[in-house]
Amino acid sequence: DQQVKQNSPSLSVQEGRISILNCDYTNSMFDYFLWYKKYPAEGPTFLISISSIKDKNEDGRFTVFLNKSAKHLSLHIVPSQPGDSAVYFCAARDSNYQLIWGAGTKLIIKP
Amino acid sequence: DAGVTQSPTHLIKTRGQQVTLRCSPKSGHDTVSWYQQALGQGPQFIFQYYEEEERQRGNFPDRFSGHQFPNYSSELNVNALLLGDSALYLCASSLARLGETQYFGPGTRLLVL
């Protein structure tokens, strides 16, 4: 039973346009959500997070939106840049402070 | 300021063997977590060490064990290797405060033949 799902294995976006990565979860007890970015041969790097008491968090070109009623969060990157090409993981924190991860979405930014 | 380091980078073992993976946390961090990432999947939490003790454990069998040393570095041991243990093993470090952002190493790629 996948508690955190990223239904798009890959996404291709034109440079300069907006990239939207989606994540769905099933456990309403998750209290904190994180996005990590991973380049090949490197470990995941923390990108941005959001508490379950908020619906939006912004950091430069990155914005995360949380819709608790739909159990859905999304990461917006605008404008998209070639260096944003990577695998993006959504993770949720459970009551034991363990991170439950999605399978990742590979983002490809086309020049 | 060194980040999280892991060794070795790659490893090939045969079924039934035992393996030890090593991790040095980011400077100033005292908590180490281990994850297994199978191909095409997200990382799965194995366990976390703090003050040389296992603080939390995910849904992994006892074949997976660990250790944390006084300098906060850590080892992951896997006994009686199975083909299904082939994966990328990631180490992450953080501060003791639960929920603190974790910083990941590049991982050890283990192949079991």
Side-chain angles (χ1 to χ4, degrees):
Chain A
D1 61 334
Q2 273 187 294
Q3 296 188 69
V4 177
K5 290 184 184 178
Q6 293 177 257
N7 292 316
S8 299
S10 66
L11 176 67
S12 187
V13 174
Q14 202 74 36
E15 181 180 357
R17 306 292 288 269
I18 183 171
S19 295
I20 300 176
L21 297 111
N22 294 304
C23 179
D24 296 297
Y25 62 95
T26 57
N27 188 342
S28 58
M29 298 304 292
F30 289 149
D31 69 342
Y32 201 68
F33 302 88
L34 307 91
W35 284 95
Y36 278 81
K37 172 177 164 179
K38 187 178 185 303
Y39 292 119
E42 294 183 14
T45 303
F46 171 74
L47 201 53
I48 192 170
S49 61
I50 187 167
S51 165
S52 60
I53 62 173
K54 301 199 172 213
D55 55 19
K56 177 182 174 181
N57 187 26
E58 192 171 350
D59 183 3
R61 296 185 298 114
F62 302 91
T63 303
V64 56
F65 295 93
L66 175 62
N67 182 334
K68 284 185 66 177
S69 60
K71 295 193 180 68
H72 176 85
L73 67 156
S74 60
L75 173 68
H76 292 209
I77 306 172
V78 55
S80 300
Q81 298 174 355
D84 296 331
S85 294
V87 177
Y88 289 78
F89 290 98
C90 163
R93 191 175 74 184
D94 69 11
S95 55
N96 292 316
Y97 287 88
Q98 289 185 23
L99 292 183
I100 312 298
W101 297 68
T105 295
K106 183 175 184 179
L107 177 63
I108 300 164
I109 305 301
K110 299 179 292 185
Chain B
D1 177 21
V4 180
T5 59
Q6 293 186 244
S7 63
T9 55
H10 295 82
L11 204 50
I12 300 175
K13 291 285 188 179
T14 56
R15 279 178 298 175
Q17 285 190 310
Q18 177 265 343
V19 69
T20 297
L21 310 181
R22 295 177 177 81
C23 172
S24 291
K26 181 177 166 64
S27 178
H29 285 182
D30 55 11
T31 301
V32 173
S33 302
W34 286 93
Y35 292 84
Q36 180 194 66
Q37 186 181 7
L39 204 59
Q41 297 184 24
Q44 281 199 299
F45 176 74
I46 302 175
F47 42 53
Q48 184 180 78
Y49 276 83
Y50 169 66
E51 290 190 339
E52 302 179 50
E53 290 194 0
E54 184 182 291
R55 179 158 73 174
Q56 288 189 42
R57 188 178 184 92
N59 190 24
F60 278 80
D62 292 344
R63 297 187 297 109
F64 290 78
S65 63
H67 189 77
Q68 186 178 35
F69 299 94
N71 66 353
Y72 307 122
S73 67
S74 176
E75 288 182 349
L76 164 65
N77 300 292
V78 187
N79 293 323
L81 284 167
L82 303 174
L83 297 180
D85 295 331
S86 295
L88 178 69
Y89 288 85
L90 294 163
C91 167
S93 74
S94 57
L95 288 172
R97 278 199 341 251
L98 290 177
E100 186 71 20
T101 299
Q102 297 181 358
Y103 292 79
F104 284 81
T108 294
R109 176 75 61 185
L110 172 65
L111 177 62
V112 182
L113 300 176

